[in-house]
Amino acid sequence: MTETTTNSVPNIVLNDGNVIPQLGFGVFKVDPDKTSRIVTDAFEVGYRHIDTAAIYHNEEGVGHAIKNSGLAREDLFITTKLWNSEQGTASALDAFDKSLARLQLDYVDLYLIHWPAAVNDRYIESWNTLEKIKESGRARSIGVSNFLVPHLTRLLTETHIVPAVNQIELHPDLQQPEVTAFGRAHGVATEAWSPLSQGRLVKNQSVSDIASRHGKSLAQVILRWHIQVGNIVIPKTNNRDRMAENFAIFDFELSDEEITAINGLESDARIGSHPDDVN
Ligand code: NDP
């Protein structure tokens, strides 16, 4: 379900009733020393949704930018993530406290288990911890990242709260039909990481043709495709012009034929790690 906000970024209503702006700004690999400035730029461009993680070592910069922004807390949507080595009960609670402190926040909007790290078999215990954190109000919504269908199935059968979000690698070359269909069936919203294939934009003639037809860039067409197929997207850039470019995707619409052409680029081509290989 979507609704349009004043800055034209649609909101997705999550399974717990909270809303997430469908377009956000990711800060993976943003230099910790530059994060405050870059997130400030993103706020000035209009982004209100920021995606960070403990392992990015830049939560302090995000917190600094939030504090100095003058923006109302309720107008922002802030996500951070639990790193693999901190999975568990006491370790996860401690990691969460430290993330909140670095962000200088009383609550985050979304807290994610970063990877299942299934070989350690602690993601069920960790999810129980996130459930307690949600109950305490210090994370408005809780979700997972890099979870495949077997991991999600275990959560659904062995725990109480259905994840609000599953953040996974997703771009035209890797559309993850199985995981996204499972999410649709069970009310888990799909959030696309590396939505622009980490800048290796699709060098495909049909996408170039679509871009020229709309007077838009390849990146804008790909992000618009994500929006229209229902993904939450969190592109990253250090460059303010590209921040604005990636934000200017709500003044055009791809046709059904154009969506189908981009759907046809699926080639099961992963850029990042396979979830089974990350512990
Ligand atoms: P993206 O697909 O967002 O691509 C980022 C790259 O694309 C950068 O090199 C950037 O370069 C370039 N770029 C951005 N905009 C444009 C544009 N308009 N034209 C041309 N190039 C562009 O990759 P990320 O891996 O950063 O993913 C986005 C976010 O997803 C991360 O920041 C993070 O928040 C999240 N993530 C989550 C993971 C997880 O395991 N949960 C794993 C990986 C990412 P430049 O900066 O020079 O503009």
Side-chain angles (χ1 to χ4, degrees):
M1 186 202 261
T2 61
E3 56 192 35
T4 303
T5 58
T6 46
N7 63 4
S8 341
V9 177
N11 279 328
I12 299 269
V13 181
L14 301 173
N15 64 15
D16 58 9
N18 293 327
V19 293
I20 182 171
Q22 199 178 358
L23 173 66
F25 183 75
V27 296
F28 178 43
K29 292 190 184 160
V30 172
D31 182 338
D33 292 337
K34 298 185 181 138
T35 301
S36 178
R37 182 189 55 75
I38 287 173
V39 172
T40 299
D41 281 349
F43 286 150
E44 286 172 7
V45 166
Y47 295 84
R48 294 291 178 267
H49 164 186
I50 306 293
D51 182 87
T52 184
I55 198 68
Y56 302 168
H57 301 295
N58 57 20
E59 290 171 310
E60 275 116 338
V62 173
H64 188 263
I66 293 169
K67 190 154 197 176
N68 291 304
S69 68
L71 294 167
R73 176 66 186 92
E74 61 268 25
D75 292 339
L76 299 176
F77 191 101
I78 308 298
T79 301
T80 193
K81 312 184 190 90
L82 173 69
W83 187 239
N84 308 339
S85 54
E86 312 307 314
Q87 281 202 30
T89 304
S91 53
L93 281 171
D94 186 50
F96 179 74
D97 285 343
K98 287 181 172 145
S99 282
L100 269 192
R102 285 190 291 263
L103 288 161
Q104 301 185 62
L105 294 177
D106 301 328
Y107 70 92
V108 291
D109 296 278
L110 179 62
Y111 195 48
L112 303 178
I113 298 180
H114 206 141
W115 293 87
V119 77
N120 306 327
D121 199 19
R122 299 195 84 178
Y123 66 86
I124 296 290
E125 181 190 348
S126 304
W127 186 251
N128 291 330
T129 309
L130 265 63
E131 289 178 324
K132 291 197 180 71
I133 290 171
K134 179 173 165 61
E135 275 164 29
S136 77
R138 296 187 307 148
R140 296 277 161 95
S141 296
I142 53 174
V144 293
S145 177
N146 300 300
F147 273 46
L148 301 173
V149 170
H151 311 125
L152 292 169
T153 303
R154 275 199 69 194
L155 284 189
L156 263 55
T157 49
E158 296 178 38
T159 72
H160 304 292
I161 299 180
V162 176
V165 164
N166 186 19
Q167 185 184 113
I168 53 175
E169 180 180 346
L170 202 167
H171 38 75
D173 291 330
L174 180 78
Q175 295 176 31
Q176 305 252 32
E178 208 189 332
V179 191
T180 55
F182 188 93
R184 266 193 303 280
H186 296 279
V188 184
T190 295
E191 183 167 17
W193 63 254
S194 297
L196 297 171
S197 316
Q198 292 185 353
R200 303 173 186 92
L201 300 173
V202 185
K203 292 182 186 56
N204 176 284
Q205 193 54 47
S206 65
V207 183
S208 301
D209 291 346
I210 294 169
S212 12
R213 205 174 305 138
H214 290 280
K216 289 286 180 179
S217 69
L218 285 175
Q220 288 172 320
V221 166
I222 293 167
L223 292 172
R224 181 70 208 179
W225 168 82
H226 280 285
I227 296 290
Q228 286 186 223
V229 300
N231 300 331
I232 300 159
V233 269
I234 44 171
K236 170 263 170 188
T237 175
N238 284 333
N239 176 289
R240 189 171 168 136
D241 289 342
R242 286 194 282 279
M243 279 176 207
E245 177 185 332
N246 296 347
F247 199 76
I249 56 171
F250 300 105
D251 57 353
F252 75 112
E253 193 160 348
L254 300 174
S255 67
D256 291 347
E257 293 72 28
E258 290 168 337
I259 294 284
T260 304
I262 299 174
N263 289 346
L265 299 175
E266 164 65 30
S267 54
D268 202 21
R270 208 175 271 280
I271 297 170
S273 301
H274 189 281
D276 288 341
D277 298 333
V278 178
N279 307 306

